[in-house]
Amino acid sequence: MILKFIKKLTICLGLLLFFTLLIPQSPDYIRTVQAANLDKENKVPDYRLNLRNITLVINKSFTLKAYNLGENAKVSFKSNDSEIASVNDEGTITANKVGTTVITVTIKDGNNPAVPLTCDITVGPPAFSVRFTKSRIILGLDKTDLLKVILKPTNTAEVAMFSTYNEDIATVSPGGKVTAKKLGLTYLFAQIDTKDTIGFNKYATCTLIVTNPEDVTPLETYFNDHPELDQIPTSALYDALIEFFNGTSEKEAIVSTISAGSLVENFDKFLNEKFDFKVNADQETANVTENNQPEVISEKKLQQVKN
């Protein structure tokens, strides 16, 4: 009896195992792949342009590019107003006239609907002059500042390009961010495309003095409180500034031997010794006094007038 029961149980288990293996199963990874393929088919392409807004100077050009394209994607370009800015089949935009317009980039990939992208274009006149808002900048060591210039005409689309004479003392990005690297004096330049009468690009110059941070405000105050510095010939003053802040081939910079916080005192002493302000001031006072006295006309001069 027990043996019969065991046989029946064995047969039942065998049949159950047989049918379990016979029925096809759908593994989880198959369902995952199917879902991923479905998402891929329904996903909208992430097309992008290298720029969505462009400002151009008349007669300048820029190439617009589309990214994330499929292998069979076709791209076309069209300008809403070709008189202001035209565009060729490669996406190169040419600024023709002052104004604003829109470039439409249409992307067609197979049977998918066409996708339009737009880029706003502003065209302005070139600059004919440039100058810094400050002729002298005093910046603390390791500090940064953003250079500012005035371009004319005021509606120009041009942007000045900045550079520095000595990158060891200060670096400057093309956009005008200046970073103080080392104590000393250097020159900063702002350049535009317009040529001068000789054929060189027009540019503006600004003097940059890098000091210890605690000496910045006192030095700025010193320059503001000493208008007599303007009486010194420009070349002579700049030579003195370079000698003090940068040194010469014969001796090191004076500023390198001065402790932080005492720059102005030593700078004032240096300039007074260099240009003898006290003597010059006394001479000017004497000249004024002499000029205010009645002129004594000699007998000889009277004789010359008579003759």
Side-chain angles (χ1 to χ4, degrees):
M1 189 73 179
I2 295 175
L3 292 175
K4 288 182 179 181
F5 176 76
I6 293 174
K7 286 183 179 180
K8 289 181 179 180
L9 181 61
T10 302
I11 293 171
C12 290
L13 291 174
L15 290 173
L16 180 62
L17 179 62
F18 172 77
F19 285 111
T20 300
L21 295 175
L22 184 64
I23 298 174
Q25 298 293 319
S26 179
D28 289 340
Y29 79 90
I30 294 179
R31 289 195 293 270
T32 302
V33 171
Q34 290 175 341
N37 289 336
L38 184 61
D39 290 341
K40 186 175 181 180
E41 291 176 359
N42 296 331
K43 184 178 180 181
V44 178
D46 186 23
Y47 299 134
R48 295 179 183 273
L49 297 177
N50 50 345
L51 285 177
R52 300 298 299 272
N53 299 278
I54 303 173
T55 299
L56 292 173
V57 177
I58 293 177
N59 296 327
K60 297 296 181 179
S61 61
F62 179 84
T63 300
L64 199 60
K65 295 181 179 180
Y67 295 104
N68 302 329
L69 301 177
E71 293 182 1
N72 300 318
K74 295 182 179 180
V75 183
S76 60
F77 302 87
K78 183 180 180 181
S79 173
N80 285 9
D81 191 338
S82 295
E83 290 188 0
I84 293 175
S86 55
V87 60
N88 63 16
D89 293 338
E90 284 71 41
T92 300
I93 303 167
T94 302
N96 301 318
K97 187 176 72 172
V98 174
T100 59
T101 186
V102 176
I103 301 295
T104 301
V105 182
T106 303
I107 302 171
K108 186 72 170 68
D109 192 351
N111 296 324
N112 295 325
V115 178
L117 301 175
T118 59
C119 179
D120 296 326
I121 307 297
T122 300
V123 179
F128 59 74
S129 71
V130 57
R131 68 180 179 88
F132 281 96
T133 56
K134 296 180 179 180
S135 60
R136 182 188 301 112
I137 297 175
I138 302 172
L139 191 60
L141 188 63
D142 296 326
K143 301 296 182 180
T144 62
D145 195 8
L146 187 62
L147 301 177
K148 297 179 181 179
V149 295
I150 297 174
L151 296 169
K152 290 187 177 181
T154 55
N155 66 331
T156 180
E158 189 168 356
V159 177
M161 296 297 293
F162 297 94
S163 60
T164 177
Y165 181 76
N166 190 332
E167 292 188 347
D168 290 335
I169 294 175
T171 59
V172 59
S173 69
K177 182 180 179 180
V178 59
T179 303
K181 295 289 187 180
K182 175 185 173 184
L183 298 180
L185 180 148
T186 187
Y187 300 101
L188 305 176
F189 305 97
Q191 180 177 293
I192 57 177
D193 284 340
T194 301
K195 308 293 184 182
D196 58 21
T197 54
I198 306 177
F200 294 103
N201 289 78
K202 288 186 176 182
Y203 66 92
T205 308
C206 171
T207 304
L208 174 68
I209 298 175
V210 177
T211 71
N212 289 301
E214 51 266 60
D215 289 318
V216 171
T217 300
L219 188 57
E220 289 177 340
T221 302
Y222 180 85
F223 277 109
N224 292 333
D225 292 346
H226 289 75
E228 66 269 21
L229 295 176
D230 296 331
Q231 305 303 318
I232 302 173
T234 302
S235 59
L237 178 60
Y238 282 153
D239 287 344
L241 292 176
I242 290 175
E243 180 181 345
F244 184 85
F245 289 101
N246 291 5
T248 65
S249 58
E250 299 176 354
K251 56 183 178 180
E252 65 177 341
I254 298 174
V255 72
S256 63
T257 63
I258 299 172
S259 59
S262 61
L263 182 144
V264 169
E265 179 184 350
N266 287 272
F267 185 54
D268 180 65
K269 180 181 178 182
F270 168 78
L271 290 180
N272 275 281
E273 292 176 352
K274 192 79 174 176
F275 299 106
D276 205 359
F277 286 147
K278 187 176 186 306
V279 173
N280 292 337
D282 291 343
Q283 288 178 347
E284 289 180 4
T285 302
N287 291 336
V288 170
T289 303
E290 182 179 344
N291 291 335
N292 289 337
Q293 292 178 349
E295 182 181 4
V296 178
I297 302 176
S298 64
E299 186 68 22
K300 183 177 180 181
K301 190 170 184 179
L302 285 173
Q303 190 65 33
Q304 290 175 343
V305 172
K306 288 180 181 179
N307 295 335

